Amino acid sequence: MMSLRPRGSAALALVAPLLQVALLWLLSDLGFYLVLPAIGVAPDYNTNGVAIALYYAFWSGVAVIGFWPLYAIWSRYAQWKTFENRLLSLAVWSVAFAGAMYFVARVLPALPAFDLREGVIPPALPLANGWYFLPKSVEILFQQLLVTALVLGLAARDIGLRRISLACALVFGAAHLLLAFGDAPWGYVLRFTAMASLFGLAFPYLLLRVPMGLAYSYVAHWGFYALLLTLVRSFGAPSAG
């Protein structure tokens, strides 16, 4: 069996997975902000939810195909087996799905309307309707697949968990700087980048050390958007800065 360990230097072992994941993430974002508008699909989760969900479903497939050799060796580096406890796995899946449905169907419609300021175009999140979370859910899946590939790619090269976490924080945080392509205020972009970096620090531990860590990683990622939307709609948006 061919080893996934590189023959090059330790620096190259660290950089190669970073570049692979960063390239795929960059291509997907460039397509979102440049290609979709060129074919008549406005990059707006609230008005083009189905089209954007299909777009990120495509990129999720690209990630699975491209990084399958890494996903296939996950059990070598994680301290748990996939679906080892199927009853518990089913419970986690059911509770997470029910919670998401409850939020979209009951909590979201009950939130106050976002206070639009004259002359200010807010990001899509504060204006989110029920359709927003369809493409967002698929986008989060795509991002989780990329993060998982990065974590496994580094683990396969004997990189320690601490360094993997720092690398993941770097990539996950830097990727959110691409929000600037959508004309989001820089204050918004920087806040999201900071939060993404913190999540990036936690994801590797969940993926490698916690049973069903991918499920918890996805739920935390999805839940962040739900919580942020609730806070913004309930208490108002912070200054864009």
Side-chain angles (χ1 to χ4, degrees), residues 19-121:
L19 292 180
Q20 292 169 0
V21 169
L23 177 61
L24 194 56
W25 206 320
L26 178 62
L27 289 175
S28 69
D29 268 24
L30 289 177
F32 180 80
Y33 291 114
L34 299 178
V35 176
L36 289 186
I39 62 175
V41 179
D44 186 337
Y45 284 45
N46 293 311
T47 58
N48 289 305
V50 174
I52 296 173
L54 289 173
Y55 175 79
Y56 279 114
F58 164 77
W59 281 107
S60 297
V62 171
V64 170
I65 294 169
F67 294 119
W68 183 254
L70 291 174
Y71 301 139
I73 61 168
W74 197 340
S75 59
R76 297 185 195 175
Y77 305 100
Q79 295 182 352
W80 50 276
K81 295 181 180 180
T82 305
F83 303 132
E84 184 175 20
N85 187 329
R86 295 188 182 184
L87 183 60
L88 181 58
S89 299
L90 180 60
V92 171
W93 169 257
S94 300
V95 169
F97 187 83
M101 290 296 294
Y102 182 82
F103 178 84
V104 172
R106 302 297 296 272
V107 177
L108 181 56
L111 292 175
F114 182 70
D115 184 19
L116 284 172
R117 301 174 185 175
E118 186 175 355
V120 176
I121 302 177

Side-chain angles (χ1 to χ4, degrees), residues 8-225:
S9 66
L12 181 60
L14 180 62
V15 170
L18 291 172
L19 292 180
Q20 292 169 0
V21 169
L23 177 61
L24 194 56
W25 206 320
L26 178 62
L27 289 175
S28 69
D29 268 24
L30 289 177
F32 180 80
Y33 291 114
L34 299 178
V35 176
L36 289 186
I39 62 175
V41 179
D44 186 337
Y45 284 45
N46 293 311
T47 58
N48 289 305
V50 174
I52 296 173
L54 289 173
Y55 175 79
Y56 279 114
F58 164 77
W59 281 107
S60 297
V62 171
V64 170
I65 294 169
F67 294 119
W68 183 254
L70 291 174
Y71 301 139
I73 61 168
W74 197 340
S75 59
R76 297 185 195 175
Y77 305 100
Q79 295 182 352
W80 50 276
K81 295 181 180 180
T82 305
F83 303 132
E84 184 175 20
N85 187 329
R86 295 188 182 184
L87 183 60
L88 181 58
S89 299
L90 180 60
V92 171
W93 169 257
S94 300
V95 169
F97 187 83
M101 290 296 294
Y102 182 82
F103 178 84
V104 172
R106 302 297 296 272
V107 177
L108 181 56
L111 292 175
F114 182 70
D115 184 19
L116 284 172
R117 301 174 185 175
E118 186 175 355
V120 176
I121 302 177
L125 179 61
L127 303 177
N129 55 33
W131 282 108
Y132 175 92
F133 282 94
L134 173 62
K136 178 55 67 176
S137 296
V138 185
E139 182 201 5
I140 289 173
L141 174 62
F142 170 59
Q143 293 182 2
Q144 287 290 319
L145 287 170
L146 292 184
V147 169
T148 301
L150 174 61
V151 170
L152 294 175
L154 295 176
R157 289 158 170 81
D158 292 327
I159 307 297
L161 182 60
R162 180 176 298 180
R163 294 179 67 189
I164 292 176
S165 296
L166 291 175
C168 190
L170 173 65
V171 171
F172 199 59
H176 284 74
L177 291 174
L178 298 173
L179 289 169
F181 279 113
D183 297 325
W186 269 107
Y188 177 90
V189 173
L190 293 177
R191 281 191 292 272
F192 257 76
T193 299
M195 288 303 303
S197 297
L198 292 177
F199 274 95
L201 284 173
F203 286 153
Y205 181 83
L206 292 174
L207 295 171
L208 296 178
R209 298 291 186 267
V210 178
M212 295 180 296
L214 178 59
Y216 298 130
S217 180
Y218 183 94
V219 168
H221 197 166
W222 199 98
F224 168 75
Y225 284 92

